[in-house]
């Protein structure tokens, strides 16, 4: 009976989260007019953080938030009140202010504790590619597991024979591996938002800025937005801010050793929804999109790794802040940066490296590792500098990104990369 009730309980939890993630939950429109929004854009630089889920983006956000010149997305008392009022208007809580206040409190908690203040959940301008895991996402996965059990090769057949738009629509219903959401979104061509996207214009930029602005402190010159999926939206975002004449747009991407990241992702992925090979392929879809779209759309980009940040948090962040153009006297953030650095774990991959080493002693463990190395090592090294074919203990270390690696990553494009 417990096994039968578990899926029902899961759907109930998903439905509760979805009720907090609808348009009225977290999206707030600025009360400012178009001219006022344009003036703010002309006087602020937008800074985007992207990378892998479970790859260090939140840690990096917390470090940069310690600087007094940088504003990050937060729920102020004003935005929480706006959420309370939206609850009154949209959910029928007008006769029960206490209930409306409680819903607003839950939404604020959800944003900070579950959604990690990610900008993608504070807007409804561009698609979320099921990263919000609405109930329909869980329904599609349950259907896909049934289809996979009966027709395990159907997903591969669809990928080979149908056009990408048609395949993207069908695969979430039939694919054995995740085809959307966390751990699967990058397999979908629709998640790659390029400079030719219909929203990549001044109107799209103003709509997006209007929804993000209420969560920023406009007295600070740098406005920081973090969403791992920015890795697949470089073209659209850069084109938006150019069209809107923003003072500037900077992009920072953080990576993590792919096997450690894959094991860390197990907290978000149901067993059987993705093999380790599937996860490494997804990791590459993210990293290769960063490289290829940075070449096409950016003049400057900052690259860092979770391992490097964890090994030297203060000095790494200091270099990054310098790249953002902040004066030396602003780097300390009144001691907040030092306190943040003291709390950073020096070896974030330790338990995952230990678990992977243990798995190599199991049945076929060594064979599986050799197969992963043969299939992925060259692409991983080219795009990131990580070495899959080295000693397992090296999985603790930052990637090697020397002059030769930087040259091939840029590949002759007019792109300056800051490797931090």
């Amino acid at each position: 009976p417990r096994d039968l009730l578990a899926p029902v309980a899961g759907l109930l939890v998903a439905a509760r989260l979805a009720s907090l993630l609808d348009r009225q939950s977290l999206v707030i429109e600025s009360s400012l007019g178009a001219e006022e929004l344009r003036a703010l854009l002309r006087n602020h630089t937008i800074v985007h953080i992207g990378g892998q889920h479970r790859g260090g983006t939140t840690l990096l956000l917390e470090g940069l938030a310690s600087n007094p010149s940088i504003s990050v997305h937060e729920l102020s008392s004003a935005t929480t009140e706006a959420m309370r009022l939206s609850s009154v208007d949209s959910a029928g809580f007008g006769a029960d202010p206490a209930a409306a206040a409680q819903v607003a409190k839950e939404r604020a908690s959800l944003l900070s504790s579950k959604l990690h203040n990610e900008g993608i959940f504070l807007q409804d301008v561009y698609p979320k590619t099921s990263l919000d895991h609405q109930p329909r996402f869980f329904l599609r996965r349950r259907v896909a597991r049934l289809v996979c059990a009966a027709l395990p090769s159907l997903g591969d057949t669809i990928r080979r024979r149908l056009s990408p738009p048609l395949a993207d629509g069908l695969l979430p219903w039939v694919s054995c591996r995740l085809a959307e959401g966390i751990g699967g979104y990058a397999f979908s061509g629709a998640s790659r938002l390029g400079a030719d996207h219909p929203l990549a214009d001044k109107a799209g930029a103003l709509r997006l800025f209007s929804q993000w602005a209420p969560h920023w402190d406009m007295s600070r010159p740098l406005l920081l937005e973090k969403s791992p999926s920015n890795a697949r939206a470089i073209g659209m975002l850069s084109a938006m801010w150019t069209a809107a004449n923003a003072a500037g747009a900077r992009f920072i991407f953080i990576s993590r050793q792919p096997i450690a990241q894959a094991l860390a992702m197990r907290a978000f992925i149901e067993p059987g929804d993705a093999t380790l090979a599937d996860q490494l392929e997804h990791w590459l879809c993210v990293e290769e999109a960063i490289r290829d779209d940075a070449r096409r759309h950016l003049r400057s980009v900052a690259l860092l790794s979770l391992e490097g940040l964890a090994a030297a948090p203060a000095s790494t962040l200091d270099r990054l802040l310098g790249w953002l153009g902040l004066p030396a006297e602003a780097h300390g953030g009144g001691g907040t940066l030092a306190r943040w650095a003291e709390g950073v774990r020096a070896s974030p991959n330790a338990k995952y490296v230990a678990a992977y080493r243990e798995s190599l002693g199991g049945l076929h463990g060594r064979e599986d590792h050799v197969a992963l190395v043969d299939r992925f090592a060259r692409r991983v090294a080219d795009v990131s500098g990580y070495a899959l074919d080295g000693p397992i203990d090296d999985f603790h270390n930052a990637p090697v990104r020397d002059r030769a690696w930087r040259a091939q990553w840029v590949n002759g494009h007019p792109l300056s990369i800051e490797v931090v």
Side-chain angles (χ1 to χ4, degrees), residues 317-335:
L317 209 65
D318 193 69
R319 287 182 57 198
L320 187 57
L321 290 168
W323 177 77
L324 289 171
L326 296 177
E329 61 268 22
H331 287 188

Side-chain angles (χ1 to χ4, degrees), residues 44-131:
H44 289 85
T45 295
I46 312 293
V47 181
H48 292 289
I49 292 175
Q52 304 285 346
H53 288 92
R54 300 282 286 175
T57 57
T58 298
L59 178 67
L60 178 59
L61 174 84
E62 292 168 348
L64 288 170
S66 69
N67 188 276
S69 295
I70 297 176
S71 174
V72 300
H73 278 147
E74 294 179 321
L75 290 181
S76 65
S77 58
T79 54
T80 302
E81 172 64 9
M83 287 182 179
R84 187 190 70 79
L85 293 174
S86 76
S87 299
V88 172
D89 294 339
S90 65
F93 288 131
D96 191 351
Q102 179 60 30
V103 169
K105 182 178 179 181
E106 290 178 357
R107 291 168 176 173
S109 175
L110 177 69
L111 178 64
S112 60
S113 64
K114 300 295 185 184
L115 304 181
H116 307 292
N117 293 330
E118 292 178 10
I120 191 171
F121 300 119
L122 295 172
Q123 58 81 40
D124 62 0
V125 177
Y126 61 90
K128 297 180 178 68
T129 58
S130 294
L131 290 169

Side-chain angles (χ1 to χ4, degrees), residues 278-290:
D278 291 335
Q279 291 180 267
L280 262 64
E281 185 66 47
H282 190 269
W283 185 96
L284 281 162
C285 285
V286 172
E287 297 294 332
E288 290 174 346
I290 293 171

